[in-house]
Amino acid sequence: MTEIPMGPELLSPGQSCLATVEQLLDFDFDIPAFQRPYDWSDKQVSELIDDLSDAQRKEVHLFLGLVVVCTQSNGRFAIVDGQQRLTTLMLAIGALGGTGKILRPKGGGVSSLWISPRHADIGFAKALVSTSSETEQTLSQRRLKQAFSKLSDQKALNLATLLGAQLIVYVAPSLAGATGLFERINLRGKDVSQFDLVKNKLIEWAAVEKDSIVRGEIEDFITARYDTLYRRLDPSSKEEPFDSDKLLRVHWILFTQKQFKSSDKVLTEVDSAIDETYSSKKSIARWIESYLDSLVRVAETWVAVERPYEATPPSWAPQLKHALLDFARLGRDGELQPLMVAAIIRWQADATDLVRFCEITSFRSALAKKNSNHGRSYKWRVARQLYQGTWSDALKQPISLAADAVHQLFWANTPYWSQGEAREFGEDLTLEQVGAEVFPDNALDSTRFYKDYRHLIHYFFWKYGVYLQHSKEWADFTRIDISPFQDSVWFGNEERFKGWDIEHIYPQTPADRDTREGRAHLKVMTQWVDHLGNLTVLPVPDNRGMQNLPFIEKLAWLREQKKVPFNELLATPDYRGNLLNKPHWGINNCKRRITEIRTAAAKLWGFDAVRELGVGPYDNRLESYQEDIEEEGGDVPDNSAETVAA
C-alpha cells in the first residue's frame, strides 16, 4: 500500500492508499447506476456519530475501513464498495459547515457533488447540502434527509475530526475485479443481499468476454437494468425498502427450467446456469440479457403484488387491485406469489379471479390449520409453467383461462369448506376422513377462535364489514359517518391493521366480576369469551376509552362511534338475538351472531364463491397431484417444455 498520495492521478489500477477524508476531497466519485439507492438507517448514522465523537474525545483518527473503486473514462472513480459510508460522510461535511468542500462550482452556474449519487437523487442531494428546501419523493431521499438532519444536530462535533478520519482506497483493475473483491470482503461476517451478489456475479461472468467492446456493452446492459430495478424498488411511501431477495426468489421460480426448492440459493443457481451456458459454448451475453429482461418484467408486477396499497399501476383494473389488497391483508401464503405474478403478466385484468381464488384457498388452509407451504412444489411448478406458457391439463389442453387454472388449483390442495361442499362436488366422505379434517366452516364456531386464529381476525372483519354494506338483509341497519373501509384506514403503509384493536364484546376481565351477578355470568361465559361470536374490532383510539364495561353500557358507546357496520348491528335484536342477559352479552347472543357470520362467510369463501370462479366436479382434465405435493418444498418431476422464459 502506498503512502498518502498527493492526488488521484497518482493512484493507478491495482494500487491502494491510506487517505484522510480531507485528502479524498481531491477525488471525484460517482455511484454507478447499478448500485442500490441510499439506505442507511437512523441506527447506522448514530453509530457513525458515536464513533466520530469518541475519536474526537480521544484525539485520534477514526478508521472507516476499505473503499473499493474503479476508474471511469470521465476521470472520476466509480464506487463499488463503500458508497453508503462515503455518501454519509459527504452529508456530514455539509451538515457541519463544509458545504463548499463537497459542492463544487462549474461553468455556467452548474455545480457538482463530491460524491455524485444515483441520477434520481442528484438534484435532491444538492439541495439538501445547500440547505435548500426540496420535497423528498422516495424512501432513499427520505433517508438522505433524515441522515442530514441528524448530523446537523451534532453541534459538539468538529468538522476537523470528520476530515481527519481515514479510509483505505483500493482501485480495482476492472469492474469485475471490484465486484469480486466486494463479494470476498462482505461475505465475511456481513449480511449481504443475494440481490447484490447476483448482480456482482453477472458482472464477473461478463468479464469472461474477451472482446473489450462487447464486454463493455454487457456491463452497460447490466448497469441499465439494475438502474431500472433499483428505481422500481425504491418505494415512494414511508415504507421499508422492498425485499429484493424475495423478488429474486419469485423471479427464479418462474424463470428456471427446473423445480426450485426452498433450500436453494438463487446466487448458486444463477452461477450454475451461466457456467453451464459457458461450458456448452453458448452466449453468456444472451443469457444475461434474457435473465435481466425477465427480472425487470417480473419486478414491475411483483412490487404491485407485494404492496398493492402503494404500487399498483394506474392502468390496472380496479377489481384486480381490490383482489390483491384482500390477499395482502390476509398476510399469509407467500408461496402463491409466483403464481399470481405469472397470471397477471399473462392475463392482466383477467387474472382477478385467480387472485381471488388464491385468497380463498389461503384463508381456508389457515382455518383448516394447514401450513402455508402446503403444496408448495405444486404451486411453484404450475406458476413456472404458466409464466413460460407450458401449463396444460391432463388432456394436454393449454391452461389459457383463469377459470381453468382455478379448477386445477382447487382439486390440487384446497380444503373443502364443509362436509356439505364435499357432497355438492360429488364426494361422500367417510367418518374417518371427516374426523381427520378441520373444516373451515366448523372452525368459525370454535370456542378457541381468538387463541387459534388471532392472526386472521382483522382480515376476517375487514371482509365481513364490506360484505355487510352490500348485504340485502343488513345494509339498511348500518350507519357509517365516515367509511372505515378505505385502504389508508385499515391497511396503513407501515403495518397491516396497525390502527385496529381486537375487542371482546363480553370482556375478558369484566368490571363487575367481584359482584354476585358478575361472578355468575363470568362462570357461564368462560367458555365463550374467545368465540368469534364474542369478538369485534375497533380503531385503537376508540377502544382505549371503553374499558371493561357491561354490554348495555358499552353498546351505547359503540353506537356513538358509528364507525363499522358489524358494531352498529350489535344494537339490532334480529342480529344479536333477543335473549340478552341484561346488562350482559351472553351465550345466546354469541350463537345468534355466529349464525349470521357463518352465513356471510359461506358466501365469501364457501361453495358458491369457488364455483363462481370456475371450480367444478372432479373430471378428466385433472392430473393426479399426490406425487407432486410435498409439504417442505422437495423436488418433483417436471414435464414442462425446455423453453426460454418469455
Side-chain angles (χ1 to χ4, degrees):
M1 185 168 64
T2 66
E3 293 293 328
I4 298 175
M6 296 302 294
E9 69 281 355
L10 301 179
L11 196 58
S12 303
Q15 291 185 316
S16 62
C17 71
L18 176 69
T20 64
V21 171
E22 186 165 26
Q23 288 169 320
L24 287 181
L25 291 174
D26 291 333
F27 291 63
D28 290 309
F29 295 104
D30 289 330
I31 297 175
F34 62 73
Q35 294 281 45
R36 67 173 56 250
Y38 184 76
D39 67 357
W40 261 29
S41 65
D42 184 72
K43 179 176 181 293
Q44 289 168 299
V45 176
S46 295
E47 288 173 351
L48 174 63
I49 291 170
D50 290 343
D51 289 342
L52 287 167
S53 299
D54 188 54
Q56 181 171 300
R57 181 177 63 85
K58 295 176 179 177
E59 298 183 349
V60 296
H61 293 297
L62 175 64
F63 178 64
L64 293 171
L66 173 68
V67 172
V68 180
V69 302
C70 62
T71 57
Q72 300 181 120
S73 58
N74 62 4
R76 297 172 68 94
F77 290 95
I79 307 170
V80 177
D81 186 22
Q83 58 129 336
Q84 304 288 343
R85 274 172 294 151
L86 286 176
T87 301
T88 309
L89 288 173
M90 178 177 70
L91 295 177
I93 293 170
L96 298 179
T99 300
K101 296 179 178 294
I102 56 172
L103 190 61
R104 290 85 179 271
K106 297 171 67 175
V110 178
S111 59
S112 65
L113 285 166
W114 171 46
I115 310 291
S116 183
R118 288 170 48 83
H119 183 75
D121 294 334
I122 290 177
F124 183 83
K126 285 182 180 180
L128 193 63
V129 298
S130 303
T131 63
S132 300
S133 177
E134 188 165 322
T135 303
E136 63 271 21
Q137 301 294 326
T138 62
L139 178 61
S140 62
Q141 291 179 3
R142 272 188 290 278
R143 289 193 165 176
L144 284 167
K145 187 173 184 177
Q146 289 165 359
F148 186 78
S149 176
K150 191 174 189 67
L151 290 161
S152 297
D153 291 338
Q154 308 308 310
K155 307 302 182 185
L157 196 59
N158 296 327
L159 179 59
T161 301
L162 179 58
L163 297 176
Q166 297 177 332
L167 303 98
I168 293 175
V169 180
Y170 172 71
V171 182
S174 66
L175 178 59
T179 56
L181 181 59
F182 165 85
E183 184 173 334
R184 289 192 295 275
I185 292 170
N186 287 288
L187 283 180
R188 295 193 179 103
K190 183 179 178 182
D191 187 17
V192 181
S193 74
Q194 289 276 303
F195 197 75
D196 285 334
L197 294 176
V198 166
K199 171 191 65 184
N200 291 347
K201 185 62 65 178
L202 297 178
I203 293 173
E204 179 183 318
W205 273 107
V208 173
E209 176 57 57
K210 299 294 190 293
D211 188 317
S212 61
I213 296 177
V214 175
R215 183 171 63 251
E217 290 174 348
I218 300 173
E219 290 177 350
D220 288 345
F221 179 84
I222 294 171
T223 296
R225 288 296 178 270
Y226 268 90
D227 181 35
T228 299
L229 288 166
Y230 278 126
R231 280 190 281 109
R232 197 68 187 92
L233 296 172
D234 192 6
S236 57
S237 74
K238 295 182 179 179
E239 272 284 359
E240 288 298 303
F242 284 99
D243 185 347
S244 55
D245 284 356
K246 187 176 181 181
L247 164 63
L248 205 65
R249 186 178 78 156
V250 168
H251 170 258
W252 189 256
I253 289 167
L254 301 177
F255 180 80
T256 186
Q257 299 299 322
K258 64 179 182 178
Q259 185 72 10
F260 184 77
K261 295 180 287 189
S262 59
S263 59
D264 290 341
K265 298 292 185 184
V266 176
L267 175 65
T268 303
E269 296 297 315
V270 167
D271 189 34
S272 176
I274 304 180
D275 188 36
E276 184 178 336
T277 300
Y278 178 70
S279 299
S280 60
K281 300 188 184 306
K282 295 179 181 177
S283 171
I284 291 176
R286 286 191 61 188
W287 192 97
I288 291 175
E289 288 173 2
S290 174
Y291 173 76
L292 287 180
D293 281 343
S294 176
L295 181 57
V296 169
R297 184 186 187 206
V298 168
E300 294 292 334
T301 299
W302 176 81
V303 292
V305 173
E306 177 75 358
R307 295 184 189 169
Y309 51 91
E310 75 169 34
T312 306
S315 61
W316 283 19
Q319 62 267 30
L320 176 57
K321 179 177 180 179
H322 292 155
L324 288 170
L325 281 167
D326 283 344
F327 183 86
R329 289 187 184 98
L330 179 55
R332 188 181 188 274
D333 205 355
E335 315 299 350
L336 281 166
Q337 266 199 2
L339 183 63
M340 292 191 295
V341 169
I344 294 169
I345 289 174
R346 187 158 293 277
W347 295 326
Q348 290 297 308
D350 290 340
T352 300
D353 284 353
L354 185 139
V355 174
R356 167 77 173 120
F357 176 78
C358 287
E359 176 210 346
I360 291 174
T361 191
S362 294
F363 183 58
R364 286 191 181 193
S365 295
L367 289 177
K369 297 187 175 180
K370 295 185 181 296
N371 292 330
S372 63
N373 63 2
H374 177 66
R376 171 168 36 195
S377 294
Y378 168 74
K379 297 170 188 174
W380 288 357
R381 176 171 69 85
V382 297
R384 178 177 69 257
Q385 291 174 343
L386 178 59
Y387 180 71
Q388 298 178 4
T390 62
W391 190 12
S392 299
D393 62 24
L395 300 177
K396 307 304 180 185
Q397 297 297 314
I399 304 294
S400 57
L401 299 173
D404 296 331
V406 166
H407 182 65
Q408 298 283 331
L409 292 164
F410 177 85
W411 287 105
N413 58 10
T414 300
Y416 287 123
W417 179 254
S418 62
Q419 289 178 254
E421 182 180 77
R423 287 193 296 271
E424 290 283 356
F425 279 127
E427 183 163 359
D428 188 14
L429 300 177
T430 66
L431 290 176
E432 183 179 5
Q433 288 173 319
V434 171
E437 291 293 326
V438 177
F439 291 101
D441 180 49
N442 293 344
L444 295 176
D445 210 12
S446 168
T447 57
R448 290 178 49 86
F449 194 88
Y450 177 76
K451 291 183 172 66
D452 291 347
Y453 301 107
R454 192 179 192 281
H455 59 294
L456 300 174
I457 291 172
H458 289 99
Y459 157 80
F460 182 91
F461 278 106
W462 161 270
K463 295 285 290 187
Y464 183 48
V466 174
Y467 165 85
L468 287 172
Q469 291 184 101
H470 303 286
S471 165
K472 292 181 180 179
E473 185 175 6
W474 300 116
D476 291 342
F477 290 87
T478 61
R479 298 176 293 130
I480 302 174
D481 290 348
I482 58 171
S483 172
F485 299 102
Q486 302 172 41
D487 303 338
S488 59
V489 176
W490 274 78
F491 199 177
N493 288 335
E494 296 181 3
E495 186 178 335
R496 291 183 312 116
F497 307 120
K498 184 177 182 179
W500 292 77
D501 274 343
I502 299 172
E503 170 69 10
H504 290 73
I505 300 173
Y506 176 76
Q508 292 175 293
T509 54
D512 64 348
R513 63 187 179 278
D514 293 329
T515 68
R516 178 185 298 178
E517 183 181 1
R519 285 194 299 270
H521 197 67
L522 176 60
K523 186 175 181 180
V524 171
M525 284 294 294
T526 296
Q527 294 300 313
W528 287 82
V529 169
D530 290 335
H531 190 273
L532 182 57
N534 189 50
L535 301 176
T536 188
V537 294
L538 280 171
V540 170
D542 300 342
N543 192 34
R544 292 294 186 260
M546 194 159 48
Q547 303 176 352
N548 295 314
L549 301 172
F551 177 69
I552 293 299
E553 297 178 53
K554 182 185 293 188
L555 177 61
W557 193 93
L558 279 168
R559 296 195 68 195
E560 182 63 26
Q561 305 310 308
K562 300 175 185 174
K563 290 282 181 71
V564 285
F566 40 77
N567 290 336
E568 178 66 23
L569 282 174
L570 296 176
T572 305
D574 286 345
Y575 176 81
R576 69 158 194 243
N578 287 310
L579 299 176
L580 189 65
N581 300 84
K582 293 184 178 180
H584 293 289
W585 176 268
I587 293 175
N588 289 316
N589 308 123
C590 292
K591 289 180 177 179
R592 180 69 183 94
R593 184 165 179 257
I594 197 60
T595 298
E596 294 300 329
I597 287 176
R598 289 177 71 180
T599 298
K603 294 178 181 178
L604 290 168
W605 301 287
F607 173 69
D608 289 341
V610 297
R611 187 172 58 178
E612 288 176 4
L613 296 176
V615 177
Y618 194 94
D619 58 28
N620 60 1
R621 292 177 293 164
L622 298 162
E623 299 178 76
S624 175
Y625 296 109
Q626 283 307 114
E627 293 181 0
D628 289 355
I629 300 173
E630 297 192 16
E631 302 307 312
E632 300 304 323
D635 207 356
V636 298
D638 184 352
N639 299 317
S640 62
E642 291 295 315
T643 58
V644 176

